[in-house]
Amino acid sequence: KNPDRSLPSSKVTIQPNAYHRFATATLRSIAPQQWREVELKVEVQHPGRPNIRNLCREFTVEVGEHTHTVPVQVANYNGGLTDYVPKRVGVKETDVPEFNILMFGTAGASKSSFVNTVMTMLQSPDQTKMYRVAEIGGSADHSTRQLHRFDLKQNFPEVTFNLWDTWGVDRKSYSKDIVNTLVDGKLPQNWNMSTSFEKYRKRFEKMEQQLQTEMHAIVFFVPQAMLTDLDDEEIARIQEMFQSLIAKLYNPLVILSKVDEVCPQIRRDPLGKIEEVEALRKKTADLFKIGLNSVRYTVNYTEETERTFGIEALAYENIESALQHCESFVQSRIMRFGSVKASDATDEHGLIWPEDSDDDD
């Protein structure tokens, strides 16, 4: 604060904690009349892949005789997501260059808000931009009309996965036929929902592009309010859809959205274990007859203007879970059929939609 005083060179020490190792760097001296903000980057190592919930949320930094605390952001650990690459599970990059994650759900299930949150989370720690759908490919209402792939690599070259957003369908229109067509990669990017499934299915399924658009994980978004509105017929339809996916070796991942409508306090601590949210997870698992570990929840950015650790940590966990599902699917496909290609599988397991099938339920 005194421009006439020099600042001698000093040692900057980041103290170790339960997760991070000791780190140190040297801050160069600053001569009189040259006072200004100085940026110092220090590499802090941590062992293995991070467990976001166990991270300490701040560093203790010593500069000379002074001690400071520096908050930790989830973005400091996004490199852990790049560990999930197809070649790690024995797949040639030419066969599966990236994992494809399909997001499926009703209109208003917060898929777009989830993408906003993931994109914001993927930024470097020094960026403050809050992403909006229109800024990352497509229009703000594209999900109501098209099958759309977000171009994540345009902003984040190290990303090893694609997010595919589907139109918001009416919950009574859920069917295994619609989902099977999507997951098998038989519809091209930007396919318009007003166009006949059958018209594109037979044409697209023979193209080489099918292999690269086949989905490796299915994320089914369910607004929490929908759980109390479903009738027996709708529940049976969703159960049938899930069983169809399981027959294809997928393990559907359900993400409950809008849980903050019944538990507003979860926005303050999205990682906290809240009884009402756990009850919603259990109810979902029971309704759809899936394991509790396959039911997660999301708290997305809505009107926030600043990034928060809890919201981004939850987004990180959800994407990591989807990537784990991708790896599991690819490994199961290889173990069962000796290939990751859908075209190498047999009809009896439901992995190919018969070419002469014209009956859509």
Side-chain angles (χ1 to χ4, degrees):
K1 294 182 179 181
N2 185 350
D4 297 323
R5 211 180 100 201
S6 64
L7 179 68
S9 174
S10 58
K11 185 177 182 181
V12 176
T13 301
I14 298 180
Q15 294 296 335
N17 54 36
Y19 200 82
H20 304 96
R21 297 193 175 115
F22 173 88
T24 185
T26 301
L27 180 66
R28 65 175 179 80
S29 62
I30 300 177
Q33 306 301 327
Q34 291 186 351
W35 282 80
R36 61 183 183 275
E37 184 176 354
V38 176
E39 180 178 292
L40 179 67
K41 293 187 177 181
V42 184
E43 181 175 337
V44 181
Q45 295 184 343
H46 55 81
R49 183 180 294 163
N51 182 328
I52 295 298
R53 287 181 181 259
N54 294 337
L55 290 178
C56 296
R57 300 193 183 187
E58 61 183 25
F59 293 118
T60 300
V61 181
E62 295 179 356
V63 183
E65 299 178 352
H66 303 280
T67 300
H68 308 272
T69 57
V70 178
V72 174
Q73 295 187 40
V74 174
N76 292 116
Y77 307 98
N78 284 341
L81 295 177
T82 62
D83 291 342
Y84 296 93
V85 292
K87 66 181 181 180
R88 194 175 79 155
V89 289
V91 181
K92 294 180 181 179
E93 187 173 349
T94 53
D95 284 346
V96 183
E98 297 158 349
F99 286 130
N100 291 316
I101 301 171
L102 178 69
M103 302 183 298
F104 196 74
T106 60
S110 298
K111 299 189 304 296
S112 297
S113 295
F114 177 75
V115 175
N116 293 341
T117 304
V118 169
M119 293 289 288
T120 303
M121 178 268 293
L122 289 173
Q123 293 182 114
S124 62
D126 58 338
Q127 291 180 300
T128 59
K129 182 177 182 178
M130 308 298 288
Y131 272 88
R132 296 294 180 260
V133 171
E135 301 174 6
I136 54 181
S139 62
D141 65 344
H142 76 270
S143 62
T144 63
R145 296 179 285 107
Q146 296 177 330
L147 172 66
H148 179 81
R149 183 187 69 184
F150 288 99
D151 190 4
L152 300 181
K153 279 191 172 294
Q154 178 180 342
N155 299 81
F156 311 103
E158 300 301 317
V159 165
T160 59
F161 61 91
N162 299 309
L163 290 176
W164 290 77
D165 192 7
T166 57
W167 55 92
V169 297
D170 182 89
R171 69 192 190 195
K172 288 185 178 294
S173 69
Y174 284 138
S175 75
K176 63 180 180 181
D177 291 341
I178 293 176
V179 179
N180 286 343
T181 305
L182 290 168
V183 301
D184 288 346
K186 294 175 182 175
L187 294 174
Q189 181 181 184
N190 297 327
W191 180 85
N192 195 294
M193 65 179 291
S194 63
T195 306
S196 166
F197 269 103
E198 196 66 21
K199 174 182 176 181
Y200 269 100
R201 177 179 64 79
K202 292 183 178 180
R203 181 191 311 173
F204 196 63
E205 65 185 355
K206 294 183 179 180
M207 298 170 58
E208 292 182 1
Q209 188 181 1
Q210 176 184 342
L211 183 61
Q212 296 186 7
T213 55
E214 182 183 25
M215 302 303 160
H216 305 108
I218 317 300
V219 182
F220 189 73
F221 284 79
V222 178
Q224 56 80 22
M226 178 178 169
L227 298 176
T228 58
D229 295 338
L230 289 171
D231 58 34
D232 292 343
E233 181 182 351
E234 292 168 336
I235 293 172
R237 184 179 291 112
I238 295 174
Q239 289 175 352
E240 180 186 26
M241 180 181 68
F242 280 10
Q243 291 306 309
S244 175
L245 290 171
I246 292 171
K248 288 176 172 287
L249 306 183
Y250 291 101
N251 180 17
L253 177 65
V254 175
I255 293 185
L256 290 171
S257 62
K258 301 184 178 181
V259 294
D260 52 321
E261 291 180 350
V262 293
C263 306
Q265 68 271 28
I266 202 170
R267 296 199 70 84
R268 295 192 297 272
D269 184 15
L271 299 180
K273 196 164 185 177
I274 299 179
E275 185 176 340
E276 292 90 338
V277 174
E278 293 306 304
L280 288 172
R281 290 181 61 229
K282 186 177 186 308
K283 182 176 182 178
T284 303
D286 292 341
L287 278 178
F288 299 157
K289 295 185 177 180
I290 57 176
L292 186 60
N293 289 337
S294 294
V295 182
R296 302 188 58 83
Y297 64 92
T298 183
V299 177
N300 300 319
Y301 283 127
T302 52
E303 303 299 325
E304 284 82 5
T305 58
E306 295 183 356
R307 301 171 66 178
T308 66
F309 184 93
I311 288 178
E312 294 191 15
L314 189 58
Y316 182 106
E317 286 190 337
N318 286 330
I319 287 295
E320 183 174 46
S321 180
L323 289 170
Q324 290 169 348
H325 279 64
C326 288
E327 287 190 338
S328 176
F329 168 76
V330 170
Q331 288 174 322
S332 297
R333 176 72 68 78
I334 293 174
M335 289 176 62
R336 188 165 182 178
F337 302 110
S339 172
V340 71
K341 297 182 180 181
S343 58
D344 292 340
T346 58
D347 287 350
E348 64 177 305
H349 297 292
L351 290 169
I352 296 180
W353 193 326
E355 297 215 21
D356 57 354
S357 174
D358 293 321
D359 54 330
D360 292 330
D361 296 335

